[in-house]
Amino acid sequence: EALAAVCAAVSVPVVAIGGIELDATPLVARAGAAAAAVISAVDRAADPPAAGRLVAAAFPARVTARA
């Protein structure tokens, strides 16, 4: 709720950081954040590349493919 309020109140992209686990990334995206910093969660994952894809899937309109 607090994240959604911040996202609604500002006109700049909001990046959520700090203690965000992989399963929370869809909630963070739905709250309106432009991105989520989940470095520790991805690093601790059994399959970091799959974890990265999970995070990217939460923010589909905001992910740019690399060439």
Side-chain angles (χ1 to χ4, degrees):
E1 295 174 2
L3 178 58
V6 170
C7 292
V10 300
S11 61
V12 296
V14 173
V15 177
I17 62 172
I20 301 167
E21 295 299 327
L22 294 175
D23 60 346
T25 54
L27 300 173
V28 170
R30 284 196 297 274
V38 291
I39 295 166
S40 294
V42 171
D43 186 56
R44 288 190 312 261
D47 184 352
R53 289 189 294 275
L54 179 70
V55 174
F59 298 91
R62 300 170 199 129
V63 175
T64 303
R66 292 173 44 175

